[in-house]
Amino acid sequence: MNYSEMVLDRILHNSTLQIEGRDGMSDNPLGTRNTQNQGIISWVERMAQICQPEQVFWCDGSVPENEFLTRLAAERGVLIPLDQEKWPGCYYHRSEINDVARVEQCTYICTPSADEAGPTNNWAAPADMYSKLYGLAQGAMRGRRMYVVPYLMGPPGSSLAKVGIELTDSIYVVLSMRIMTRMGEIAYRQLGESEGFNRGLHCMLDVSPERRYIAHFPQDNTIISVGSNYGGNVLLGKKCLSLRIGSYLGRQEGWMAEHMLILGVEDPQGEKTYVAAAFPSACGKTNFAMLIPPKRFAGWKVWTVGDDIAWMRPGADGRLCAINPENGYFGVVPGTSYRSNPNAMESMKRDTIFTNVAYASGGDIWWEGKDNPPPENLFDWQGRPWSSSSGEKAAHPNSRFCSPVTNNPALDPKFGHPEGVPISGIIFGGRRATVLPLVFQAFNWIHGVYVGATMGSETTAAAAGAVGQVRRDPMAMLPFCGYNMGAYLGHWLKMRKIIKRPPKIFHVNWFRKDRNGRFLWPGFGDNMRVLKWIIDRCRGRVGADETPLGWMPAASDIDLEGLDYDRARLEEALGIDVEEWKKEILAQDELFLRLHNDLPSELHYQRELLISRL
Ligand code: OXD
Ligand code: MN
């Protein structure tokens, strides 16, 4: 008996509850129980006994169900239909003002010992957290529906795919999960009779930061999220299962769950090279994953496999193979335009849920950085009338679009392949105004692990808290690692032994600025020029200079044709300032001290080697 069951036994005694679903319309089968899996049935029953919903609604992910729930959400004001001519199938949602981003201070890893969660995670003892959260959930769905959402992360039939069941009292969550995951029968089929599914319970409660917990129980493959309705906290397939629980399972089962986009670069001869890239939240993963090459690269094409999460394991040929477990994009909206990311604009043109952008009467929407100026009669994300003189942003900086991947014109044809795509390169990158050059390549896998582990980035609006401060974010996984970060880095080192043909590892920084605060590199589509060098390195087609940081291109190695840009700025973007680097290495102390007990010694050696090279 695990901690969850012990706590449940204490709370529930012998109470029973009918869990057959109904939708209130006797001739309509929507909502009725749709699985025979005894593990699911008995767990749902126990959760319903705790939450005491008026009704249990078993979701099947079908079109009629989606229409029914969308109608209901619109009737209740959870979704506002947009102008259906202009935005077919699109809806607008406003969150509570206090519930607009992931909350790392409310996110817990509940392992039997604090050591297993490690010094970078909030920890609570599983029995204590179960008691607290089942206590909060008790009777929390009285007078409400409990939706049972079966979902599959990953392509059906993939050995990497995982099944989750999310119980939620939020229609917004159900409708978003239908976009973000493969929802319904497909999940039951993958699971069969097995009880090996992730158990996720979500209760909105009163959406108060006082009662907000996102708790993970890796040993039980269980997640409980209460008091929020914001995507990253409540779409449990995403950060909670795919990264926190996923990283824990990956270590046990010999694979990797990473905060990485996956893209394929096709050259004019049709040769395709796949890379995965880890950037912290809101640092341009979606833009990079959907990059449109500049005119100079006519005949080249970038294909998107994923924009946020990669699950990877060695394939039959010894290369690392990656799948995107998700089925949708939950991307940051402000700054997105036909100039910055046409494929994202195409992706959100239809069947999209927008959250916390600005709303114009008549059913239009707007955000800072959109191609057109703000329409008349605009209301900000809080519903207040807005004009350009308001002095505040109309759209929340972390406002989001939630769109099906199939809307993306550049979706890679291998997106749904169960075996995934072979990864030739891994790219790490942060948002750094100084120090970090535009691009360099690690000398080998272990050096690459050090480069990823010591990655730093300026904080963004994707998480609640101060914006713009440099924090160490190993592999962009600081908020998402479901166990001890030191052990996680050890897992990366171990993977080297089971990947016969490991990808090359790179670091990029699109955000370096000059003395006047201007970006040194144009970014966006022109990142293709750097990507081309990376691909050529992966394929052993181009030389590089050996520098203290790793292999680097000379400024003349980056193709600048067709770009109105001074090569001297590229030289500055590629520059290594030894004094700045000494400070950078000292700044890594914070991480090294924090992880000291569990940090693999290889990373200490790598740091020494870097010092000796400077
Ligand atoms: C995201 C995040 O939403 O990283 O992808 O916060
Ligand atoms: Mn992310």
Side-chain angles (χ1 to χ4, degrees):
M1 191 185 273
N2 66 24
Y3 291 114
S4 168
E5 280 156 19
M6 273 153 51
V7 172
L8 282 170
D9 263 16
R10 228 176 34 230
I11 297 178
L12 291 175
H13 308 294
N14 292 319
S15 65
T16 54
L17 191 112
Q18 174 59 263
I19 61 156
E20 291 301 317
R22 287 165 290 121
D23 72 343
M25 293 181 279
S26 55
D27 59 346
N28 190 333
L30 291 181
T32 48
R33 177 158 67 77
N34 47 16
T35 179
Q36 303 295 327
N37 182 306
Q38 283 311 312
I40 298 176
I41 294 169
S42 60
W43 172 68
V44 172
E45 199 164 326
R46 280 164 98 68
M47 292 303 109
Q49 284 164 11
I50 293 263
C51 301
Q52 298 165 30
E54 188 178 305
Q55 187 191 115
V56 176
F57 187 104
W58 295 78
C59 297
D60 61 12
S62 65
V63 171
E65 174 184 277
N66 192 47
E67 285 168 357
F68 169 69
L69 293 177
T70 303
R71 213 168 45 241
L72 200 63
E75 272 164 30
R76 295 186 179 168
V78 173
L79 293 183
I80 300 176
L82 294 181
D83 173 350
Q84 295 296 300
E85 292 257 297
K86 192 162 183 190
W87 298 99
C90 294
Y91 291 84
Y92 176 58
H93 173 77
R94 262 192 204 113
S95 76
E96 295 292 324
I97 292 166
N98 70 33
D99 189 34
V100 293
R102 284 184 293 99
V103 275
E104 291 170 15
Q105 67 277 21
C106 305
T107 302
Y108 286 82
I109 302 298
C110 306
T111 41
S113 74
D115 249 14
E116 287 163 271
T120 59
N121 282 314
N122 299 316
W123 174 80
D128 293 349
M129 192 52 101
Y130 278 126
S131 296
K132 184 194 290 262
L133 299 189
Y134 286 146
L136 286 170
Q138 221 168 355
M141 295 190 191
R142 259 182 227 138
R144 298 168 69 78
R145 273 206 181 120
M146 173 191 270
Y147 295 96
V148 182
V149 178
Y151 65 94
L152 175 65
M153 300 309 291
S158 171
S159 61
L160 275 163
K162 299 276 179 212
V163 171
I165 311 286
E166 175 163 358
L167 309 180
T168 178
D169 55 354
S170 162
I171 300 192
Y172 170 75
V173 166
V174 179
L175 295 171
S176 303
M177 285 293 281
R178 185 170 184 274
I179 296 172
M180 294 305 297
T181 72
R182 293 156 169 99
M183 175 178 153
E185 172 62 26
I186 196 168
Y188 293 140
R189 238 181 289 131
Q190 177 96 10
L191 190 65
E193 290 301 301
S194 161
E195 297 204 0
F197 60 94
N198 180 270
R199 290 150 170 78
L201 173 64
H202 167 238
C203 303
M204 289 169 68
L205 306 181
D206 55 351
V207 194
S208 158
E210 305 294 312
R211 279 169 291 285
R212 185 167 294 158
Y213 295 90
I214 300 98
H216 306 72
F217 304 87
Q219 275 84 356
D220 305 340
N221 200 0
T222 294
I223 305 158
I224 305 180
S225 171
V226 301
S228 172
N229 203 33
Y230 168 74
N233 299 328
V234 298
L235 306 180
L236 299 184
K238 191 171 179 62
K239 302 302 185 180
C240 300
L241 170 53
S242 289
L243 289 177
R244 300 198 188 95
I245 298 285
S247 58
Y248 174 88
L249 295 176
R251 180 171 175 234
Q252 280 189 327
E253 298 167 3
W255 55 278
M256 306 166 84
E258 301 299 334
H259 192 201
M260 290 182 182
L261 66 91
I262 309 163
L263 63 81
V265 181
E266 185 176 346
D267 74 9
Q269 286 70 48
E271 180 190 75
K272 203 125 172 231
T273 309
Y274 290 96
V275 298
F279 307 157
S281 307
C283 285
K285 279 202 300 298
T286 305
N287 286 346
F288 195 46
M290 297 182 180
L291 183 150
I292 304 236
K295 281 207 181 65
R296 159 73 180 146
F297 288 80
W300 290 74
K301 177 145 175 94
V302 171
W303 298 91
T304 317
V305 180
D307 78 326
D308 196 40
I309 295 171
W311 284 355
M312 306 190 285
R313 80 154 32 124
D317 68 355
R319 288 189 289 177
L320 198 55
C321 283
I323 62 159
N324 169 13
E326 301 193 276
N327 206 28
Y329 306 119
F330 183 68
V332 175
V333 181
T336 311
S337 66
Y338 274 98
R339 262 174 311 114
S340 67
N341 191 341
N343 287 329
M345 293 299 285
E346 287 296 311
S347 302
M348 61 175 92
K349 238 168 59 179
R350 63 179 63 80
D351 303 321
T352 291
I353 299 175
F354 291 93
T355 301
N356 288 345
V357 294
Y359 175 81
S361 32
D364 200 2
I365 45 172
W366 188 82
W367 53 84
E368 278 76 13
K370 195 162 184 269
D371 298 274
N372 55 330
E376 298 288 311
N377 301 322
L378 197 66
F379 296 86
D380 73 5
W381 65 276
Q382 299 184 50
R384 303 171 304 188
W386 185 90
S387 76
S388 45
S389 59
S390 296
E392 283 184 59
K393 303 259 189 243
H396 188 277
N398 194 36
S399 49
R400 299 278 176 149
F401 67 95
C402 181
S403 310
V405 292
T406 44
N407 281 2
N408 177 3
L411 183 66
D412 191 79
K414 287 203 168 157
F415 161 76
H417 282 206
E419 70 277 15
V421 296
I423 297 296
S424 301
I426 287 178
I427 305 172
F428 294 115
R431 180 186 286 272
R432 295 295 300 270
T434 58
V435 191
L436 270 294
L438 181 62
V439 61
F440 63 93
Q441 181 192 341
F443 291 120
N444 53 41
W445 180 271
I446 296 181
H447 178 222
V449 173
Y450 167 77
V451 169
T454 52
M455 215 166 99
S457 193
E458 291 152 20
T459 47
T460 68
V467 169
Q469 291 172 359
V470 174
R471 75 167 179 182
R472 296 291 136 195
D473 190 350
M475 277 67 176
M477 282 289 279
L478 187 69
F480 306 121
C481 185
Y483 61 103
N484 189 309
M485 181 60 84
Y488 163 82
L489 297 173
H491 178 53
W492 262 83
L493 294 171
K494 276 200 201 109
M495 285 303 293
R496 170 64 190 93
K497 296 184 182 148
I498 59 168
I499 310 169
K500 286 211 181 64
R501 297 162 65 196
K504 310 265 187 291
I505 299 184
F506 301 83
H507 188 284
V508 298
N509 177 23
W510 315 131
F511 301 96
R512 197 170 186 182
K513 291 181 176 169
D514 64 15
R515 242 174 260 107
N516 302 316
R518 285 177 28 234
F519 286 115
L520 279 163
W521 178 248
F524 298 106
D526 287 309
N527 291 339
M528 180 67 213
R529 300 168 191 275
V530 176
L531 187 53
K532 164 81 165 49
W533 183 80
I534 289 174
I535 299 297
D536 284 343
R537 286 297 294 170
C538 290
R539 294 209 171 256
R541 286 198 288 240
V542 65
D545 295 340
E546 185 176 329
T547 76
L549 303 187
W551 299 107
M552 284 183 73
S556 54
D557 290 333
I558 303 285
D559 185 336
L560 294 182
E561 211 177 298
L563 187 62
D564 181 16
Y565 177 74
D566 185 353
R567 203 171 282 276
R569 285 184 79 69
L570 178 57
E571 264 156 25
E572 201 178 332
L574 287 168
I576 300 172
D577 180 325
V578 171
E579 290 314 308
E580 275 185 354
W581 268 94
K582 286 182 183 159
K583 288 192 198 122
E584 175 74 10
I585 292 169
L586 287 178
Q588 293 171 359
D589 268 349
E590 179 224 330
L591 179 81
F592 276 73
L593 290 175
R594 206 141 62 115
L595 296 185
H596 186 265
N597 287 348
D598 306 284
L599 199 68
S601 48
E602 287 91 331
L603 300 185
H604 291 286
Y605 303 146
Q606 286 296 330
R607 191 176 185 223
E608 291 297 315
L609 287 171
L610 172 58
I611 293 169
S612 71
R613 289 196 298 265
L614 277 174

